[in-house]
Amino acid sequence: MDRSSWMIGDRARERALSAGARRRRREKAQAREARESVRLWRAIQGSVIIMIPYTAHMSLSGVMTPPVEMLTDDGYDMQFGTNVLGHFYFTKIVMPALLKGAARSPDGTARIVNTSSNGHWFGSMDYNTFKDSPARRKRSAMSLYGQSKMGNVLFAAEVARRYGDQGIVSTALNPGGIKTELGRYFNSFTQMIGNMVFHDVSFGALTQLYAGTTAEGANLNGKYLVPWARIGNTHPDGQDPHQASELWNWLEEQVKDL
């Protein structure tokens, strides 16, 4: 191989490493961005009168199977911190506006939609792994992903129990296999298979929109939806009120000083 080929290869590796570093910085910044969003929300709430009721809140962002060594800036497992704790915190902050929106909306409801996954069937809650620990580092990235998706299901169920009588309609759902960058950490073979069997990104919001915007969605409190816009079943643990309450209390403890 001539010298120019080596130089091209070196530049390609540098670009790949640079892209990976940028992506890791972006993901680690998500918790910080959630805090900034909350501060902006509070400023807006304090300075203007919102004329349109706030009646739909969708927790959509997430991360899937990053390297296990990746953590949030606060030291949480990247997947649990992004997929569960961040969504809990933002939902907690906007809940007063959602309750006001429910009181003012024509159907008397406001919707909270949490994006989970079929992966929750392979997840169980181990509190020793929510932050970095020897126990966490023994887990696979996929098992930690499943744990975070179970967290979404439990959180949505607890919101339904706590706020359902105040007009809040809380759902969790599996959006389906969609061709997005969510699987960017998969190996090349898995990505190839995914591109063959997953659906176009245009399908990705169908079930969320059904839960969050349709008239039928007002009757879905506590339900779990599957593609496309159908009521499905969760793992039995996902409907365990004791587990859901325990998770809620843990989440509250994490954000109490923010």
Side-chain angles (χ1 to χ4, degrees):
M1 183 178 293
D2 60 29
R3 186 170 182 272
S4 62
S5 297
W6 280 110
M7 291 176 65
I8 291 171
D10 287 342
R11 285 196 293 269
R13 283 190 290 273
E14 287 174 1
R15 284 196 297 270
L17 289 171
S18 178
R22 288 196 300 272
R23 187 162 57 236
R24 286 190 291 273
R25 284 197 299 271
R26 183 170 64 246
E27 287 165 345
K28 284 189 174 184
Q30 286 181 340
R32 184 170 59 251
E33 289 169 356
R35 290 193 289 269
E36 291 299 325
S37 297
V38 166
R39 280 193 282 270
L40 177 60
W41 172 264
R42 285 171 170 163
I44 292 172
Q45 287 286 85
S47 61
V48 300
I49 298 174
I50 298 179
M51 302 303 294
I52 301 174
Y54 182 34
T55 57
H57 173 62
M58 299 191 186
S59 295
L60 306 178
S61 65
V63 61
M64 184 178 189
T65 64
V68 172
E69 62 266 24
M70 290 181 65
L71 304 170
T72 69
D73 286 349
D74 303 310
Y76 295 97
D77 172 70
M78 177 61 73
Q79 298 186 86
F80 205 85
T82 302
N83 299 349
V84 184
L85 182 55
H87 291 169
F88 171 83
Y89 181 43
F90 197 81
T91 302
K92 175 182 174 68
I93 296 302
V94 301
M95 183 61 79
L98 286 165
L99 292 170
K100 291 178 182 178
R104 295 172 58 192
S105 68
D107 65 1
T109 70
R111 324 282 178 86
I112 298 176
V113 180
N114 278 275
T115 303
S116 183
S117 164
N118 265 350
H120 87 274
W121 282 85
F122 309 104
S124 59
M125 310 303 285
D126 181 352
Y127 286 76
N128 291 321
T129 65
F130 293 175
K131 282 195 165 186
D132 195 27
S133 67
R136 176 186 167 276
R137 289 190 291 274
K138 291 178 182 177
R139 298 276 295 271
S140 69
M142 183 57 78
S143 71
L144 291 170
Y145 175 73
Q147 176 174 258
S148 75
K149 295 293 99 179
M150 175 61 81
N152 293 144
V153 173
L154 289 168
F155 169 57
E158 188 66 8
V159 171
R161 279 188 283 271
R162 289 176 180 250
Y163 293 98
D165 61 353
Q166 300 177 64
I168 299 298
V169 177
S170 174
T171 55
L173 57 84
N174 166 25
I178 308 297
K179 296 177 185 178
T180 70
E181 289 190 8
L182 187 64
R184 58 184 171 269
Y185 292 108
F186 292 160
N187 61 44
S188 58
F189 177 76
T190 304
Q191 289 188 23
M192 180 186 71
I193 297 299
N195 285 331
M196 293 170 59
V197 300
F198 285 175
H199 298 273
D200 182 79
V201 70
S202 59
F203 286 80
L206 291 178
T207 306
Q208 289 97 323
L209 289 172
Y210 174 75
T213 66
T214 66
E216 294 90 340
N219 301 311
L220 296 175
N221 191 43
K223 302 298 184 183
Y224 178 76
L225 304 181
V226 297
W228 310 105
R230 296 178 295 120
I231 296 175
N233 297 314
T234 71
H235 187 286
D237 286 353
Q239 296 302 316
D240 181 347
H242 174 73
Q243 288 197 51
S245 177
E246 185 178 19
L247 175 62
W248 184 283
N249 292 336
W250 183 88
L251 293 167
E252 286 276 20
E253 183 68 20
Q254 306 313 300
V255 303
K256 66 179 183 179
D257 296 324
L258 294 178

